[in-house]
Amino acid sequence: MIELVDIAYVRSGAADLAGAVRFATDVVGLEHVDGGEPGVAHLRADGRHHCLAFVEGASGVIASAFAVADPGALALAETELETRGFTVRRGSPEEARSRRVGEFVGFDDPFGNHIELVVGQQTLARPVRHGRGAGITEFGHLCLDAPDVAEAHRFWSTTFNARASDWIGDAACLMRIDEVHHKLAVFRGDGPGLCHVNFQVAELDDVFRNWHHLQDHDVVIEMGPGRHPQSGAVFLYFLGPEGLTYEYSYGVRRITDEAAWRPRFFDPAEPGSIDMWLGPTQKPLTQPQLVPEGLRS
Ligand SMILES: O=C/C=C/C(C(=O)O)=C(/O)C(=O)O
Ligand SMILES: [Fe+2]
């Protein structure tokens, strides 16, 4: 069993690098950390050097990364994955530098999502210079797509320490690796993919202020403001360039009594199981089947 200690970053291709960075800073509110590396832009939300990297090239996710404790744990993870039949590749020192990590390995999950395990992700001591006052406090979670959510849960909970916090039928499984209700989720999709990246904001007011800001700037709101019954978080999903969906959310549940928590099973066909406020949905998460028929636009 490989222990994930945190999420680390998402690395994504950007056909229009400058446009992707402009949106991430001026609209989302992340900091552009200028690393002086041509063709790569690092975006920061919290203490981590970055949690999102855009690499000039074809649009689409390149890797989703998780931290393990130390180089010994990384070496054990490498062996364990190989034993389980995965092809694991060690990143070169140059690739590790670009990711601002000490070392990393990469492999494809059973559905083709490229995953990187890292150690020594760089921390920046200075405060985040947010591109805009969106209230972002933290890179909250990342959500992957897979055609078989139960199988994805089996993979993440047997190879890794991920535990199901809640299920949404066979359409989604929200998983925790620490006290936070979920830092990883898998949504049913036709193939591999990145469903969305989440940023936590400091106040409920930030969600609504950001909603107005996004509308004023003609950003496509995909869903929200609303409230998820699973984590209890107030959410807002919106579409950025390169097909990347962002989420702001406030008030995610923490599971402090690990022994007492039982995952719950929500029926996606039941009104309120995605949004307790029963709000209209423009484009539900990318997975139309998640949203009850009556709520689809
Ligand atoms: O559709 C349900 C999504 C639930 C949540 C939550 O409970 O916070 C998410 O943010 C998510 O899985 O992305
Ligand atoms: Fe989310």
Side-chain angles (χ1 to χ4, degrees):
M1 166 92 72
I2 300 165
E3 191 176 339
L4 304 174
V5 296
D6 208 347
I7 48 175
Y9 55 76
V10 163
R11 202 167 169 89
S12 181
D16 172 8
L17 183 61
V21 172
R22 214 167 29 247
F23 186 88
T25 54
D26 300 359
V27 178
V28 183
L30 301 174
E31 173 186 347
H32 179 201
V33 182
D34 186 7
E37 189 183 345
V40 181
H42 297 104
L43 285 310
R44 182 178 181 221
D46 51 31
R48 288 167 265 234
H49 175 274
H50 68 277
C51 58
L52 180 60
F54 288 122
V55 181
E56 195 156 36
S59 302
V61 62
I62 296 169
S64 301
F66 297 83
V68 298
D70 52 38
L74 188 65
L76 284 175
E78 192 175 7
T79 309
E80 173 139 4
L81 286 165
E82 280 167 349
T83 307
R84 288 172 185 256
F86 292 93
T87 303
V88 185
R89 192 180 74 80
R90 274 248 154 203
S92 69
E94 194 189 332
E95 289 170 320
R97 254 191 313 280
S98 176
R99 287 158 175 75
R100 300 304 192 280
V101 299
E103 296 172 44
F104 76 102
V105 300
F107 68 98
D108 286 348
D109 79 3
F111 310 97
N113 288 299
H114 191 66
I115 307 297
E116 292 179 352
L117 303 181
V118 314
V119 288
Q121 183 176 28
Q122 193 182 326
T123 297
L124 295 179
R126 61 167 176 74
V128 181
R129 296 183 192 122
H130 292 106
R132 177 179 79 78
I136 290 175
T137 55
E138 200 181 358
F139 175 32
H141 59 257
L142 62 88
C143 294
L144 303 173
D145 290 336
D148 185 337
V149 171
E151 191 53 31
H153 166 259
R154 207 186 59 76
F155 168 71
W156 286 101
S157 63
T158 56
T159 313
F160 297 97
N161 58 326
R163 281 97 70 202
S165 293
D166 282 312
W167 294 84
I168 307 171
D170 58 3
C173 181
L174 315 182
M175 290 174 266
R176 66 189 182 284
I177 52 175
D178 56 20
E179 282 190 355
V180 176
H181 178 272
H182 60 285
K183 284 197 171 170
L184 163 68
V186 177
F187 283 77
R188 193 175 62 219
D190 294 336
L194 181 71
C195 180
H196 64 270
V197 287
N198 168 286
F199 296 99
Q200 300 290 308
V201 293
E203 301 177 4
L204 179 61
D205 294 342
D206 292 319
V207 177
F208 285 85
R209 272 193 291 261
N210 290 336
W211 181 41
H212 291 304
H213 181 87
L214 297 176
Q215 287 174 311
D216 289 348
H217 291 79
D218 298 321
V219 175
V220 176
I221 306 293
E222 294 188 323
M223 186 159 64
R227 184 166 175 164
H228 286 311
Q230 293 79 28
S231 69
V234 174
F235 64 81
L236 179 63
Y237 294 87
F238 57 101
L239 183 62
E242 313 291 338
L244 180 57
T245 293
Y246 293 86
E247 178 189 17
Y248 292 126
S249 72
Y250 167 74
V252 67
R253 181 191 309 280
R254 284 180 175 265
I255 297 177
T256 49
D257 188 350
E258 181 65 38
W261 185 264
R262 297 282 173 273
R264 297 160 305 167
F265 297 83
F266 293 84
D267 179 352
E270 200 57 52
S273 62
I274 309 289
D275 176 8
M276 297 167 77
W277 297 345
L278 305 175
T281 54
Q282 276 79 29
K283 182 179 170 244
L285 300 184
T286 74
Q287 304 303 320
Q289 70 272 27
L290 271 182
V291 170
E293 200 79 53
L295 295 180
R296 287 183 201 160
S297 54

